[in-house]
Amino acid sequence: MTTLSLRGKDGSSSAVTHELAAGKRRHKVREALTGYLFVLPATLATILFGLWPVVAGFYESIKSGSPITNKYVGLSNYVRSLGSLTYVLLFALSLIFVWMGYRAWRDGRQHQQEHGGNLWVYVLPGLLFGAGLIALAFILVTGVDGYSWFPMLLILIALGGYYTADAIQPGRAARDGQQVAVLWLILAGLALIWTGGPRLNDALGLGAVGWLLLLAVFGALLYLLLLRLARMSTGRYVTVSLLMGLYILLTLLLALYTTDQLQANVAEAQKIAALVFNQRVSEGVVAVPDDSTRISGLEFESGAVMVEVTVKGRTIQAPLAPDAYGELSVDRIARLEAAFVNNQKVRVILPDGTVGEGQLTGIAQGEKLFVPFVTEGARAVRQVAIYSALDVGEAVVRTEGYTEPLSRQMTAALGIFLGLAAVLTMTHTRRQVDDEEQPRLYRWLHLGRVLMAVVIALLFFYLVGALQLNQQTAAGLGSLTQEQFVRAYEFATGSTPHPTIRPEVLKAQLLYWPQVFSIAVGALLIGAAYLVWQSAQRRETPLGFGLTILLAVLMMVGGWLLVGELPRTLSLGGRETQEAMDALNRTAMYSIGTVPVQLGLGLFLAYLLFSEISIGKSLYRVIYFMPYIAPSVATSTVFLVIFRLDATALANRVLGIFGLEPLTWLKEPAGIVRIFYQQVLGGDPLHIPESLAGPSLALTTVILYNIWVFAGYNSVVFLAGLGAIPGELYEAAEVDGAGRWSRFRNITLPLLSPTTFFLSMLSIIGTFKAFSHIYVLRGQATGKEIDTMSVHIFQALYAANDPGYAAALAFSLFGVILILTLVQNRLAREQVFYG
Amino acid sequence: MASTTRTDARSLKVPATAQAAAPFQRLGLHINFFRLFVYIMLTLGAILFVMPFLWMVSTSLQKQGDIVRGKLIPSQQFISITAIDEADLGRTMQDVLDSGDVPSYLADVRTQIEDSPLKRSLTLDGYLRTQRIGYASLRLDIDLPLLNKLFEVHQDYVVVGGAAHYIEAWNESNFSRYFFNSIKVAILTIVGQTMTSILAAYAFARIEFPGSNLLFSIFLATIFIPTMVVLIPNRNMVKNIDEFFSKDFPAKQDAWGITEARQAIAEPLYDALDKVGLENFLGLGSFFTVDGPITWRWMDSWPALVVPFLASTFSIFLLRQFFLQIPEDLWDAARIDGAGHMRFLFTVVVPISKAAIVTTIIFTFIGTWNALEWPLLVTFSDKWRPISYGLYAFTTEAGSDINLLMAASVITLVPVLIIYLIAQRQFTEGIATTGLKG
């Protein structure tokens, strides 16, 4: 992170150098002022139209965004585009914030070790400052009126805190204490003016001029304060603590917000599931009759056993037993329960020996339900519970509607993670404790570890059970048709469900948490597997090494299996998620199809241009660069015409030269591998599986366009890179007898890697941002074959007028770009050779 | 022949290359096959690269029939007659022909064609479809001798060959208006952006101030933000500013005393501007006309198209890289002469950084010229819609008029190409020296 570079160096200046230092400082201040003045216009424009929109855009993405009902909808726009992946990603993001906060702290601690001072006293002001900034952003974005004093107050207190912290640093003179007091006074004055300004003005009768003067005085004071802050000897701590504060708060806010959203979403589904399934119909006692009695409630009706059930004062004829139970005679009616739970085939044998078989229709299930069997002359033997029988139609769901509250489960999950952290800490501490000197502590640590492991195991089993319940209920909901669901819902609540409440939606919602959990655990397992794999190198014995590797592999496989939930998760997300994923897929395909070819071609051309030509070099360069310079709307219009679908289009005529059939280019959704297989090899295109079909021909056309446009640009940049390689290297290699290829392979490529890295990053980001040419070219496409993410987002905004959803999609794309950049940077650290 | 492999400047410094090539000469092997291969590949590549452009021009000059027939070279054997009589405006060709008072030149053409022994087919290709005779052209298949004759007699309104397509495309649905809109927006953006970028780049390169690194990394971070993320909030922002200047601000002007002040200053100014015909320059007319409060449209007007692009991280980055290479001695010398930052910047730095500045200007120009998604969002009328929109709209409505579409594309392309070819040297230099050290 950056540090405030202007720092007072006048710690121990003598009287003679003091004046010099003061002059220097004055000069520095003037210099700094000029600098600020110079960057001001650009900064204003960038902040207003480049950075601020990121904050405002996030706010936009959590609103419905339609002009009429622009209300807050939480994360649902994200869930629409990413399904439950949203929650996983947001939790991951808060973990990243933790990591960044940790890095800031490490940074500060290192500084502390090198330069002395106390970091901790800065943490509180840092937190306050961070809170102030976040509150300020929140108020600015949401336009809440009347709370502007709050962030200002926080920031002022934080400023005061910084000065106090600076003053109590070791080695401070007492004079500083007075300064701090004065400072607090100024801050208090500022706060007073800020909050009570107009009233103060009236009371003092200052008038406009006096008021302005007062403001000017305090403004100047504040300015001096800020300058002084920049010169503070511990400026590093200010930055570090501010970052820490920001990260900690962002982590907390994000984690809480995500949890809250997840909970809100799941809780609704849980509630409805409970309503639908867990209907306590009525309580009663099942009297198991002796052989001579008859159960009047049970009767056969065209193969079905009907039960008369009183539900909330309403008596319904519910057919009992759909797919039946094992063998059941009425005196063993207690087995009904198990039968319903396990969905067994059941026969009912009535006391008179008749065997009831057939479909038990209309029994939905839920919580325990006591059905009063009206029997004649029976004695009550025991109470039997069966599941609620509701006339929800043909298919009967037999699932517990009950699910554990999410908060409990998440607490358990948190407990597991904290427990793991505790185990790791204890292991780490134990390694440093000498068992000779402190045998007791050594043993206690071991015991603690074991205990903790037991707790973790218990929590884990609880969680698995709870997740199982969740999934059962979800499955139950999933098997209901809309009609059945509505009937059950109506029965339970007496009102019709809102049209957006649909069983498949509820099912998806109920699955959010299991999915989040399994994906998170999978990712963690993979991460842990990586660590274990690395630790294998430290094992001394071959057996230990092998076992560790085996463990790592097992963990890796387990992790992948859990992460493998992902595609299913996304497919649950409904049509919009599917569309977003398709768009993202196309973008990836577009990127993969474009970048390597475009870079390779660029390098090839640059190499040719660089090597051995004397005439026309600049002419070639001009020509190769032309597509890049030409307006993309114009050139893509040309491509639109060249790749028309009629046989007279240029592209088709070129195909004709080679004796190939004309193609429909931009209208063709079939993959290119299939087309090649059919056209050139004459096979049946369906022999090629979908996954190997490659990008659609329509997308390939766009890829061709992109290559045509950017190859020249790449070659010009490569050319500059080639020029920077010292010629002596080639000379030396040539003297050593290296051939052209070997020189290229061993000198050019490695020395060009920074350029290659720069270009590949630019190209990948470019393909993810690409818009106008695709937008022009899609004019001829029939479907969405070439709608990459950018176009998809734009269409959501422009055509569908759904800004909230569009903003959520845009942020998802942003995330993808960020991750790609980070991964690339990481790879570059290992692969790029910077001389 | 010593220079067989000595082509680039770098190896010139090292004469060893010449010695390495010597054995080839002794063998008398003068054809360097590798070089031949390089030339062949480069030329093939160049043909491929330039093809779409040539094809675009060729198509724009062809008759519809020739395009379908698959000709590659436009034939000269057709003429277009552009009717430019004021009286004919708004009338279809059919009207004109039916009414009997056929303009003399049309009548002449008709008789001449009918008299012609060849009597080639007279196609009203594209003509009757176009409703307004004033903007349309009659394209005829005609023989060369007759063409020459016609041309002699009617050179004012006879256009030979496909040039007519350009005239038609230019006049087609406000295309010329879009063109000039884009020029205006580009000029405003370039001026603004170049100023802010030069200042900021200079400050980042030369002036030490607290937080400069932090600020610069914040600027750089904006590169990774996809356009789509900022599109939506920016539209809202522009909309809000627009609403402020057209609703809240006008309501308060009396109270703030602005109206009075305007009466004193603006009226004479307005009169002066009125005389030169600039009374509504950049839509600021409401500032000068004293009746009614000042309003300032942002939506569907130039500020929406210009203001969000006043700062460009890319330009700042590029210029900063360039400014960093300027030797420190120059600054020291300027300091001794008593020059401040401002003077040093505009008398020393800017003149020697011409290549980089030209590069940024070209990039800005291309960016403005290309912008499609943003204008689609913030403009609703032809008043300020740019050329990219015009061409995009053309692609959706031109249908089978491929030659017109290509002519429109050429019109869109030409300004950029001209600027590029003029500034080509500085441009490639600018990219090569600054576009690299990411």
Side-chain angles (χ1 to χ4, degrees):
Chain A
M1 284 293 119
T2 321
T3 129
L4 304 171
S5 59
L6 195 74
R7 215 174 294 143
K9 289 173 186 135
D10 50 350
S12 61
S13 57
S14 72
V16 186
T17 54
H18 187 83
E19 212 149 280
L20 255 180
K24 217 173 173 184
R25 196 189 308 153
R26 248 200 313 278
H27 169 71
K28 273 201 162 179
V29 169
R30 219 181 41 222
E31 182 93 351
L33 274 181
T34 324
Y36 287 130
L37 209 65
F38 273 34
V39 292
L40 184 70
T43 312
L44 269 183
T46 306
I47 288 180
L48 218 57
F49 291 101
L51 281 175
W52 179 245
V54 179
V55 184
F58 179 72
Y59 178 61
E60 196 66 37
S61 71
I62 54 174
K63 294 197 304 180
S64 72
S66 96
I68 306 150
T69 57
N70 196 8
K71 63 174 200 290
Y72 168 78
V73 292
L75 290 176
S76 64
N77 281 324
Y78 286 93
V79 177
R80 274 166 73 192
S81 50
L82 295 176
S84 58
L85 191 59
T86 311
Y87 302 108
V88 183
L89 290 178
L90 286 178
F91 281 127
L93 191 64
S94 53
L95 277 184
I96 289 173
F97 280 139
V98 171
W99 172 244
M100 281 161 79
Y102 167 72
R103 290 249 310 242
W105 174 74
R106 208 178 51 182
D107 207 30
R109 208 186 50 170
Q110 203 180 353
H111 189 77
Q112 187 175 344
Q113 279 165 357
E114 282 164 15
H115 301 274
N118 187 356
L119 172 63
W120 292 111
V121 283
Y122 287 91
V123 171
L124 188 65
L127 275 173
L128 283 175
F129 210 134
L133 288 181
I134 292 172
L136 193 67
F138 180 79
I139 285 170
L140 283 175
V141 164
T142 54
V144 184
D145 263 347
Y147 290 95
S148 57
W149 56 270
F150 180 66
M152 288 318 282
L153 194 70
L154 282 178
I155 288 173
L156 284 179
I157 296 176
L159 278 179
Y162 274 139
Y163 281 94
T164 318
D166 189 43
I168 58 173
Q169 286 296 308
R172 282 283 149 164
R175 198 165 55 88
D176 289 336
Q178 292 159 16
Q179 275 188 4
V180 169
V182 173
L183 193 129
W184 275 104
L185 276 179
I186 295 174
L187 289 177
L190 272 175
L192 202 65
I193 290 183
W194 185 269
T195 50
R199 254 170 297 144
L200 201 71
N201 188 25
D202 290 345
L204 295 176
L206 281 173
V209 181
W211 176 239
L212 279 179
L213 264 178
L214 193 69
L215 273 185
V217 167
F218 273 96
L221 283 174
L222 188 68
Y223 174 72
L224 287 177
L225 276 182
L226 287 175
L227 269 191
R228 171 94 176 67
L229 186 70
R231 285 205 309 277
M232 213 168 348
S233 59
T234 44
R236 181 71 176 232
Y237 290 146
V238 175
T239 335
V240 164
S241 65
L242 174 60
L243 286 176
M244 270 170 68
L246 266 179
Y247 289 137
I248 291 171
L249 288 170
L250 282 176
T251 309
L252 278 178
L253 284 177
L254 196 65
L256 284 178
Y257 183 67
T258 316
T259 313
D260 176 65
Q261 284 288 309
L262 182 56
Q263 183 135 29
N265 253 323
V266 175
E268 197 207 359
Q270 282 184 332
K271 208 180 86 197
I272 295 174
L275 269 178
V276 172
F277 293 134
N278 302 354
Q279 300 182 51
R280 196 168 284 270
V281 179
S282 72
E283 281 181 28
V285 175
V286 172
V288 176
D290 54 46
D291 283 358
S292 60
T293 52
R294 289 179 66 86
I295 302 173
S296 72
L298 282 179
E299 56 185 73
F300 289 97
E301 197 175 87
S302 61
V305 184
M306 305 295 286
V307 191
E308 230 173 56
V309 184
T310 311
V311 188
K312 289 185 183 164
R314 198 172 112 195
T315 308
I316 53 161
Q317 278 260 313
L320 181 79
D323 326 338
Y325 354 135
E327 206 165 90
L328 186 83
S329 69
V330 177
D331 61 346
R332 282 179 284 159
I333 206 160
R335 273 165 57 184
L336 263 168
E337 183 177 359
F340 276 68
V341 171
N342 298 328
N343 196 9
Q344 297 160 331
K345 285 258 176 203
V346 172
R347 288 193 302 157
V348 179
I349 305 168
L350 286 181
D352 60 1
T354 32
V355 179
E357 255 183 319
Q359 292 299 100
L360 176 67
T361 53
I363 294 191
Q365 89 293 27
E367 205 185 59
K368 301 205 164 144
L369 152 78
F370 300 96
V371 182
F373 287 86
V374 186
T375 55
E376 293 162 17
R379 60 197 158 88
V381 177
R382 64 200 124 146
Q383 222 171 305
V384 180
I386 63 169
Y387 293 91
S388 57
L390 288 175
D391 59 348
V392 287
E394 297 274 315
V396 175
V397 192
R398 274 166 236 88
T399 320
E400 282 274 8
Y402 176 74
T403 40
E404 279 284 295
L406 195 63
S407 49
R408 233 184 277 167
Q409 298 183 49
M410 290 186 83
T411 316
L414 193 66
I416 290 179
F417 288 124
L418 289 180
L420 281 176
V423 169
L424 281 178
T425 319
M426 279 193 262
T427 314
H428 188 71
T429 329
R430 191 166 164 266
R431 214 175 279 153
Q432 280 162 0
V433 169
D434 196 338
D435 60 338
E436 301 285 316
E437 285 173 21
Q438 292 168 290
R440 185 174 284 224
L441 180 65
Y442 193 76
R443 254 180 286 128
W444 273 116
L445 278 173
H446 183 64
L447 192 65
R449 220 162 48 148
V450 173
L451 276 177
M452 209 37 116
V454 172
V455 171
I456 290 172
L458 285 176
L459 285 175
F460 190 76
F461 282 127
Y462 162 73
L463 254 183
V464 168
L467 289 170
Q468 193 59 38
L469 267 182
N470 243 342
Q471 271 171 343
Q472 268 181 15
T473 312
L477 271 171
S479 65
L480 283 181
T481 64
Q482 172 70 11
E483 206 181 314
Q484 291 170 342
F485 171 75
V486 170
R487 254 195 284 167
Y489 187 93
E490 275 172 358
F491 194 83
T493 61
S495 61
T496 33
H498 191 269
T500 53
I501 302 176
R502 304 174 60 82
E504 64 269 19
V505 175
L506 292 174
K507 180 188 171 195
Q509 283 179 347
L510 276 180
L511 285 178
Y512 285 160
W513 166 241
Q515 287 162 351
V516 169
F517 187 76
S518 83
I519 293 170
V521 168
L524 281 178
L525 264 182
I526 290 173
Y530 176 71
L531 290 181
V532 171
W533 182 276
Q534 280 193 327
S535 78
Q537 289 170 349
R538 288 199 302 271
R539 301 277 157 186
E540 278 134 20
T541 59
L543 184 67
F545 180 80
L547 282 178
T548 320
I549 292 283
L550 186 69
L551 180 66
V553 168
L554 281 178
M555 283 165 84
M556 193 78 88
V557 170
W560 274 117
L561 283 179
L562 286 171
V563 174
E565 177 83 353
L566 202 60
R568 209 166 68 86
T569 306
L570 291 173
S571 71
L572 262 180
R575 185 182 54 86
E576 277 166 327
T577 311
Q578 204 51 52
E579 275 176 6
M581 287 303 127
D582 284 349
L584 205 56
N585 251 340
R586 276 191 291 267
T587 317
M589 201 88 100
Y590 176 51
S591 204
I592 294 167
T594 310
V595 177
V597 184
Q598 163 184 316
L599 284 181
L601 195 61
L603 181 58
F604 181 62
L605 288 177
Y607 186 72
L608 292 183
L609 275 173
F610 188 72
S611 52
E612 333 250 326
I613 66 164
S614 44
I615 337 161
K617 194 167 172 171
S618 59
L619 178 69
Y620 283 125
R621 205 163 55 176
V622 169
I623 289 178
Y624 290 142
F625 211 63
M626 232 155 67
Y628 177 71
I629 231 68
S632 59
V633 182
T635 47
S636 48
T637 308
V638 177
F639 265 65
L640 199 66
V641 175
I642 290 180
F643 290 95
R644 282 195 328 270
L645 60 148
D646 36 312
T648 58
L650 187 60
N652 278 336
R653 285 220 300 275
V654 171
L655 284 186
I657 295 173
F658 297 104
L660 295 170
E661 294 282 303
L663 294 172
T664 45
W665 302 107
L666 286 161
K667 274 200 193 324
E668 184 59 67
I672 45 167
V673 178
R674 280 185 177 173
I675 291 171
F676 182 80
Y677 188 64
Q678 184 184 21
Q679 285 252 1
V680 182
L681 306 177
D684 181 0
L686 292 178
H687 288 164
I688 310 285
E690 184 67 45
S691 52
L692 293 178
S696 69
L697 185 62
L699 193 62
T700 312
T701 314
V702 187
I703 290 175
L704 282 179
Y705 173 82
N706 212 69
I707 293 169
W708 176 71
V709 169
F710 285 98
Y713 170 75
N714 288 344
S715 75
V716 167
V717 181
F718 269 131
L719 207 54
L722 284 172
I725 298 174
E728 295 85 9
L729 287 176
Y730 291 112
E731 308 302 335
E734 211 166 345
V735 170
D736 288 349
R740 216 181 283 280
W741 169 249
S742 143
R743 267 176 288 160
F744 178 76
R745 175 73 194 77
N746 295 315
I747 300 174
T748 314
L749 270 189
L751 285 175
L752 215 52
S753 56
T755 314
T756 316
F757 170 64
F758 167 74
L759 281 177
S760 61
M761 195 139 113
L762 213 66
S763 311
I764 291 176
I765 293 178
T767 49
F768 273 77
K769 283 179 170 180
F771 178 79
S772 22
H773 58 272
I774 304 180
Y775 199 67
V776 172
L777 289 174
R778 84 189 278 281
Q780 244 177 36
T782 34
K784 296 187 162 182
E785 300 87 66
I786 63 172
D787 283 13
T788 55
M789 200 61 178
S790 286
V791 175
H792 184 62
I793 294 168
F794 189 78
Q795 284 303 96
L797 175 67
Y798 187 64
N801 197 15
D802 196 349
Y805 179 54
L809 283 173
F811 269 89
S812 315
L813 178 68
F814 190 17
V816 172
I817 290 181
L818 273 187
I819 291 170
L820 274 179
T821 317
L822 289 178
V823 168
Q824 242 178 336
N825 256 322
R826 186 78 206 218
L827 288 179
R829 224 180 288 161
E830 289 157 17
Q831 300 291 328
V832 174
F833 176 72
Y834 285 104
Chain B
M1 278 323 291
S3 64
T4 321
T5 53
R6 241 175 51 182
T7 45
D8 62 285
R10 219 152 281 279
S11 47
L12 272 176
K13 279 186 252 159
V14 192
T17 324
Q19 288 160 14
F24 289 96
Q25 285 170 33
R26 253 182 275 125
L27 285 171
L29 194 65
H30 288 293
I31 305 164
N32 185 335
F33 282 105
F34 183 73
R35 213 170 82 158
L36 197 66
F37 166 77
V38 166
Y39 270 115
I40 291 172
M41 288 312 289
L42 282 176
T43 312
L44 273 179
I47 291 174
L48 263 182
F49 270 69
V50 90
M51 231 320 240
F53 292 109
L54 295 180
W55 193 81
M56 161 163 67
V57 174
S58 130
T59 311
S60 72
L61 293 172
Q62 286 181 41
K63 290 180 297 181
Q64 196 68 36
D66 283 353
I67 299 171
V68 177
R69 247 169 268 135
K71 282 200 174 181
L72 287 179
I73 310 295
S75 90
Q76 281 296 312
Q77 304 221 1
F78 68 105
I79 59 162
S80 295
I81 299 164
T82 311
I84 34 175
D85 264 7
E86 282 291 310
D88 293 336
L89 286 170
R91 298 168 68 188
T92 65
M93 176 65 180
Q94 202 59 59
D95 288 341
V96 179
L97 290 177
D98 290 349
S99 65
D101 55 329
V102 180
S104 56
Y105 51 88
L106 281 180
D108 280 0
V109 173
R110 202 158 60 169
T111 44
Q112 289 200 35
I113 290 165
E114 276 162 6
D115 291 349
S116 152
L118 292 159
K119 212 169 180 185
R120 295 283 291 268
S121 61
L122 185 151
T123 48
L124 285 176
D125 183 10
Y127 185 72
L128 292 174
R129 248 183 304 128
T130 329
Q131 286 302 297
R132 301 180 58 164
I133 194 168
Y135 294 151
S137 56
L138 173 61
R139 298 179 216 134
L140 306 169
D141 275 330
I142 210 162
D143 223 9
L144 258 183
L146 181 62
L147 173 74
N148 287 335
K149 206 164 138 203
L150 256 179
F151 196 60
E152 274 164 32
V153 185
H154 303 291
Q155 42 184 307
D156 287 348
Y157 28 72
V158 174
V159 183
V160 181
H165 301 149
Y166 286 86
I167 295 170
E168 202 173 323
W170 181 251
N171 292 324
E172 181 89 4
S173 50
N174 271 345
F175 201 69
S176 52
R177 162 143 225 161
Y178 298 139
F179 185 88
F180 287 115
N181 283 347
S182 267
I183 297 265
K184 282 188 245 176
V185 169
I187 288 174
L188 288 171
T189 317
I190 286 173
V191 170
Q193 205 190 82
T194 311
M195 282 315 291
T196 59
S197 305
I198 288 177
L199 286 176
Y202 178 79
F204 284 131
R206 288 276 152 194
I207 303 178
E208 253 187 43
F209 57 96
S212 90
N213 285 340
L214 181 69
L215 202 59
F216 189 62
S217 32
I218 289 176
F219 269 82
L220 281 187
T222 56
I223 289 184
F224 295 102
I225 302 171
T227 336
M228 290 299 150
V229 168
V230 298
L231 215 53
I232 303 157
N234 273 354
R235 185 190 61 172
N236 292 353
M237 168 91 76
V238 168
K239 213 193 265 171
N240 288 343
I241 297 176
D242 182 70
E243 263 166 31
F244 173 77
F245 278 120
S246 57
K247 280 187 200 143
D248 305 355
F249 185 56
K252 283 179 183 155
Q253 279 167 25
D254 279 343
W256 291 354
I258 292 175
T259 321
E260 267 172 63
R262 264 169 69 213
Q263 253 150 4
I265 310 162
E267 243 171 305
L269 240 172
Y270 178 73
D271 291 343
L273 283 174
D274 200 16
K275 271 184 199 134
V276 251
L278 281 175
E279 67 280 1
N280 201 11
F281 182 61
L282 291 179
L284 291 173
S286 74
F287 178 78
F288 300 117
T289 48
V290 182
D291 18 289
I294 301 171
T295 55
W296 191 17
R297 301 291 329 183
W298 273 51
M299 280 307 245
D300 200 22
S301 183
W302 64 272
L305 295 169
V306 172
V307 176
F309 303 98
L310 279 186
S312 150
T313 306
F314 180 74
S315 300
I316 293 171
F317 180 72
L318 208 99
L319 290 175
R320 176 182 171 267
Q321 295 295 95
F322 207 88
F323 291 169
L324 280 176
Q325 291 167 3
I326 295 169
E328 194 73 26
D329 306 355
L330 279 178
W331 170 230
D332 294 338
R335 285 301 291 278
I336 291 164
D337 290 349
H341 281 300
M342 209 57 156
R343 241 184 70 205
F344 177 62
L345 172 60
F346 284 103
T347 54
V348 180
V349 175
V350 169
I352 54 176
S353 317
K354 239 186 254 157
I357 294 175
V358 165
T359 311
T360 59
I361 287 181
I362 293 184
F363 270 122
T364 312
F365 183 75
I366 294 172
T368 321
W369 203 256
N370 262 341
L372 182 60
E373 62 269 46
W374 180 247
L376 277 175
L377 284 181
V378 293
T379 54
F380 321 116
S381 69
D382 289 345
K383 221 171 118 202
W384 278 101
R385 272 182 169 157
I387 192 152
S388 48
Y389 172 84
L391 189 56
Y392 170 69
F394 213 153
T395 60
T396 51
E397 63 198 36
S400 58
D401 273 342
I402 291 170
N403 39 20
L404 292 188
L405 190 59
M406 288 296 96
S409 300
V410 173
I411 294 173
T412 315
L413 179 73
V414 160
V416 181
L417 222 51
I418 289 175
I419 290 180
Y420 169 59
L421 290 178
I422 292 172
Q424 186 267 122
R425 192 164 289 278
Q426 276 109 329
F427 187 67
T428 26
E429 192 185 318
I431 289 206
T433 46
T434 49
L436 250 184
K437 300 171 180 96

